[in-house]
Amino acid sequence: MAHRLDPLLRPRSVAVVGASAREDSMGAWVLENLRRGGFEGNVFPVNPGYREVGGLKCYAELGALPERVDLVIFAVGDRQLEATLDAAIESGIPAAVIMSTLFLDDDSTPVLRERVAAKVAAAGMLVCGANGMGFYNVRDRVWACGFDSTTHEPPGNVSIISHSGAGMSGIIDCEQRLRINFAVSTGNELGVAMDDYLDFVLDLPETRVVGLFVETARNPAGFRDALEKAARRRIPIVALKVGRTAASARLAVSHSGALAGDDASFDALFDRCGVQRVFDQDAWATALIMFAEMHPLGDGGLVTLHDSGGERQLLIDLAHDTGVPLTRLQATTVDALETILAPELPAVNPLDAWSRGGPDAGDVMTQCLTHMMRDEGAAMGAVVHDRAPGGTIYSSYLGYMQAARAASGKPVCLVSARAGTGRDAAVVTSTHAGLPVLDGVRSFLEGCRALMRYRDFLERRCAPPQALDAATVDKWRARLGSGDTLAEGEALAMLGEFGLDVAESHLASSATAAAAAARRLGYPLAVKTSGREVLHKSDQGGVLLGIRDESELRHAYAELDRRFGPEVLVARMAGPGVEMLFGARHDPQFGPVVLLGFGGTLAETLRDVVFALPPFDAAHARRCVDRLRLRPLLDGVRGRPPANIDAFCDAAARFSAAVDGLRDVVAEIDVNPLIVTRDAAIAVDALAIGRSPDEHADA
């Protein structure tokens, strides 16, 4: 299938500017890698210092080539780069690879990188780089890179797209268990961004999984489109996202804005599109191997077979830490195991089946693993044994796995507690036969979690978003589009019009008016300053709760009037419940991001929130709630009644629809606290900050 990146990634001919016969130079490595990769088109070395390089005729300049090539690879320094780029553009060459940094010590303004970027954009040239390590299109036999590399045989089944050059080479050059189909170090992405490469590899029929090493999204809309394409194609993506800072949140006004840092939008986007996020390269490589070489998982959890009681206990601890469910064996499985195991060994999962050894030990292990993997609650299995001396593996381990997989039809791995080698022939062969041999229990469990979450993602069914009243949307778009801040009373009114339950309240600017409002609402009450300049009232003592009668009310009013001014809000108290929050923040890359979690005055201390892209339904809100660390509090503790989680999730869905409807005019919204009682979810305080027209002109 033709793709717009074909001139870059599937060229019919290549020119190498700076081609060299000097050993270990970039110019020599580019030519060598084209040969290693098996490139079948014409290759034209370009260097005025040679008449021939590597058995190929060498040309003095690009203008002297006998044909217009599809791709030029620059193996020259930054001082020569600009002039040779000009020549390539003048020759009409549609694509280029630039590996240099584009930095000059004595540069002029605009600097070299800016000059090159402008020329590339004006020419519409497809450029890989700059400041990268090129690419390996193993499938189509195009290795456009200037560095030493290991052997890669087509066809592979894993594609890697990395902003980091070392993030790419550190995986593909050291891990033979990964069968690479395509890999690219995207660098500064002057002409082609990560989303373009992702779109390309998703069209390759061999691609089973894609690994992303992500620093940022230079084309946010295209990045989201590509991730959604992967979700539609049911091709899993494993992402290692670095740079988890809160830089943009430093300027946030609301608690929600402060919690939703730069990284929150990626979490929300990944969750929406089923992208599995990991946090180090060991877990990244392990998850890629598992997705590439194992069959998809069915329902259920993990069963594991051990030959060590201590390592069995360690796996239980690590499974708890990583959130991997361990299968609770059915009674029939337990009965079968008890007939096989030595009497001192409990028939439980994880299972330590090694006690007295002997000639029948291998058969015992095989039978135990087979029975566990046949259990209806098992989605997959693992043999957790240490490597043999020298980092190799014993063939008997593979025998357990082969027999159990044949009997159960379920995937199984061999996992060592410590790293072995990914180059041992038996390790590589077994992995490519669908029985992965993996290193490190935690990395394996993180891979299991990724597989299980992706399985669950594929089963999601999303309801249509909440319908919004057009007049209500227009009203609040006009109000927020002015860039104003809506204080509590107005912000709660807005939420109420979008269908959320809000605490009834009345504004008052005198003690008499406050008393009249109290008679309409009934005691007990909350009295809060309504001064527009006081955004975080609780932090400044601007909220007085539990007002029981008019005497207390007048005293409270006098105190707030003295400290903050005469305007107050008299509000009905919500019943006892759990303090939660909703929030939204406009992300400069992906638009509004919603957060929900535990709130109150300790919201920023607890930081127990999850993020989602709006709009979403109540079922998605429930999945978010179930990921919160303090989730058990909602079930009721120490005799307190359970909170109405369904009401909270329904309110979250309504809130997300409202945020989506106002997406280009909202900077921040903070609903904190939102009290979740036995019967309802009631917003009792809110703040909304609009975006002025110049802020959302291009939204």
Side-chain angles (χ1 to χ4, degrees):
M1 180 185 298
H3 194 277
R4 76 175 194 88
L5 297 187
D6 281 353
L8 174 66
L9 305 180
R10 288 193 280 233
R12 294 163 297 181
S13 54
V14 177
V16 181
V17 175
S20 175
R22 182 165 54 87
E23 186 176 355
D24 206 29
S25 65
M26 181 179 289
W29 273 118
V30 171
L31 291 173
E32 173 63 14
N33 285 331
L34 287 167
R35 184 192 63 79
R36 281 190 185 184
F39 182 65
E40 298 173 346
N42 291 329
V43 177
F44 300 103
V46 178
N47 190 328
Y50 294 95
R51 304 181 97 183
E52 177 269 333
V53 179
L56 298 172
K57 180 180 178 180
C58 192
Y59 296 84
E61 58 185 17
L62 285 170
L65 298 183
E67 63 180 77
R68 194 201 77 169
V69 298
D70 287 336
L71 173 67
V72 55
I73 304 175
F74 291 104
V76 296
D78 287 325
R79 293 197 178 277
Q80 294 79 40
L81 190 282
E82 189 170 11
T84 53
L85 175 65
D86 288 340
I89 292 173
E90 184 178 348
S91 298
I93 298 174
V97 174
I98 302 175
M99 289 172 275
S100 61
T101 60
L102 300 185
F103 182 84
L104 300 175
D105 290 334
D106 54 351
D107 206 354
S108 58
T109 303
V111 296
L112 177 61
R113 181 179 297 180
E114 294 173 355
R115 298 195 301 270
V116 168
K119 291 177 179 183
V120 165
M125 179 178 266
L126 301 171
V127 173
C128 177
N131 194 28
M133 296 180 68
F135 68 85
Y136 300 77
N137 184 351
V138 177
R139 177 189 190 273
D140 296 307
R141 302 184 180 276
V142 186
W143 292 18
C145 45
F147 310 91
D148 190 13
S149 183
T150 191
T151 300
H152 305 287
E153 295 293 337
N157 55 18
V158 178
S159 292
I160 289 181
I161 306 168
S162 175
H163 283 139
S164 165
M168 175 192 75
S169 63
I171 296 293
I172 71 172
D173 288 341
C174 306
E175 185 51 80
Q176 288 190 326
R177 286 169 290 189
L178 281 171
R179 292 188 277 180
I180 300 299
N181 198 30
F182 179 90
V184 60
S185 162
T186 69
N188 298 136
E189 301 183 337
L190 295 185
V192 180
M194 177 172 280
D195 54 283
D196 296 308
Y197 295 111
L198 179 54
D199 185 79
F200 176 84
V201 300
L202 292 174
D203 287 343
L204 302 181
E206 301 87 357
T207 302
R208 288 196 63 179
V209 62
V210 181
L212 303 181
F213 192 117
V214 185
E215 294 174 356
T216 188
R218 291 187 175 91
N219 178 18
F223 188 60
R224 178 170 178 167
D225 288 345
L227 295 184
E228 290 175 344
K229 177 177 177 177
R232 291 193 303 272
R233 297 280 180 90
R234 301 172 76 89
I235 296 175
I237 293 177
V238 182
L240 177 57
K241 166 68 175 65
V242 298
R244 290 179 285 145
T245 67
S248 66
R250 293 173 190 153
L251 301 178
V253 175
S254 69
H255 294 293
S256 297
L259 288 167
D262 296 341
D263 204 52
S265 57
F266 282 92
D267 274 342
L269 178 63
F270 290 166
D271 185 58
R272 170 67 65 91
C273 297
V275 176
Q276 303 307 306
R277 184 173 185 176
V278 294
F279 296 94
D280 63 48
Q281 287 177 281
D282 287 337
W284 194 41
T286 299
L288 290 173
I289 293 169
M290 295 173 74
F291 272 113
E293 303 299 343
M294 295 172 61
H295 295 299
L297 301 189
D299 294 335
L302 172 68
V303 295
T304 61
L305 176 72
H306 303 255
D307 58 2
S308 163
E311 290 184 357
R312 167 185 171 273
Q313 290 175 280
L314 176 61
L315 183 133
I316 294 172
D317 292 341
L318 294 177
H320 175 269
D321 293 344
T322 54
V324 173
L326 299 173
T327 300
R328 185 178 182 87
L329 300 177
Q330 296 178 322
T332 53
T333 304
V334 173
D335 291 343
L337 291 173
E338 287 178 340
T339 66
I340 303 167
L341 292 167
E344 66 271 19
L345 297 175
V348 296
N349 174 51
L351 177 66
D352 174 13
W354 184 272
S355 176
R356 306 173 190 182
D360 297 329
D363 185 56
V364 169
M365 289 290 201
T366 300
Q367 290 185 60
C368 287
L369 181 62
T370 299
H371 282 301
M372 287 198 296
M373 287 183 61
R374 279 176 165 171
D375 193 284
E376 290 183 5
M380 63 174 292
V383 176
V384 185
H385 289 351
D386 293 324
R387 293 288 190 100
T392 59
I393 55 175
Y394 292 112
S395 60
S396 58
Y397 299 171
L398 302 181
Y400 312 160
M401 300 162 65
Q402 290 164 351
R405 186 179 69 170
S408 68
K410 298 175 183 177
V412 60
C413 302
L414 174 61
V415 183
S416 63
R418 289 284 295 155
T421 172
R423 302 184 69 86
D424 178 73
V427 168
V428 175
T429 300
S430 177
T431 298
H432 293 171
L435 297 167
V437 181
L438 305 170
D439 307 314
V441 174
R442 180 179 287 276
S443 295
F444 160 70
L445 289 169
E446 290 176 354
C448 288
R449 179 180 60 194
L451 264 65
M452 291 177 178
R453 286 185 175 177
Y454 187 72
R455 169 199 65 193
D456 297 342
F457 166 76
L458 294 179
E459 296 301 317
R460 286 186 190 176
R461 299 294 181 265
C462 297
Q466 298 278 346
L468 298 176
D469 177 70
T472 301
V473 173
D474 290 343
K475 170 185 173 181
W476 293 106
R477 282 179 58 81
R479 183 70 183 88
L480 290 165
S482 65
D484 284 350
T485 295
L486 310 188
E488 179 179 344
E490 193 174 9
L492 286 174
M494 178 184 73
L495 295 174
E497 291 188 22
F498 281 112
L500 277 74
D501 284 342
V502 300
E504 186 180 355
S505 61
H506 296 283
L507 283 169
S509 55
S510 68
T512 300
R519 286 191 289 274
R520 291 194 296 272
L521 294 171
Y523 294 95
L525 294 168
V527 184
K528 315 173 189 182
T529 180
S530 188
R532 296 178 62 84
E533 68 281 0
V534 185
L535 297 180
H536 300 299
K537 297 182 287 293
S538 296
D539 297 345
Q540 300 180 50
V543 178
L544 302 176
L545 303 176
I547 306 301
R548 294 170 295 180
D549 54 39
E550 186 169 332
S551 174
E552 290 187 8
L553 176 71
R554 290 182 177 274
H555 178 78
Y557 178 85
E559 174 67 13
L560 295 177
D561 181 21
R562 181 183 64 82
R563 294 184 58 203
F564 302 105
E567 291 190 356
V568 301
L569 196 70
V570 181
R572 177 174 287 140
M573 291 277 290
V578 180
E579 291 188 333
M580 304 291 286
L581 66 79
F582 294 152
R585 180 172 178 272
H586 181 85
D587 179 84
Q589 291 187 306
F590 300 107
V593 178
V594 168
L595 63 155
L596 54 90
F598 284 88
T601 58
L602 296 178
E604 290 181 57
T605 302
L606 295 173
R607 303 189 71 84
D608 193 9
V609 295
V610 291
F611 307 97
L613 294 186
F616 50 80
D617 61 10
H620 184 75
R622 182 59 180 255
R623 288 189 290 268
C624 291
V625 168
D626 288 341
R627 284 161 37 205
L628 295 169
R629 298 191 311 276
L630 300 178
R631 164 68 178 78
L633 292 179
L634 298 173
D635 294 328
V637 294
R638 295 182 177 273
R640 295 181 179 178
N644 192 324
I645 300 176
D646 289 341
F648 177 79
C649 294
D650 179 71
R654 294 177 183 276
F655 177 75
S656 78
V659 171
D660 187 58
L662 304 171
R663 61 171 37 246
D664 58 340
V665 294
V666 166
E668 298 174 41
I669 300 180
D670 193 49
V671 185
N672 181 28
L674 183 142
I675 307 298
V676 187
T677 69
R678 180 197 293 270
D679 302 313
I682 305 168
V684 299
D685 196 356
L687 173 71
I689 302 168
R691 298 178 67 218
S692 58
D694 59 321
E695 291 178 301
H696 60 80
D698 58 355

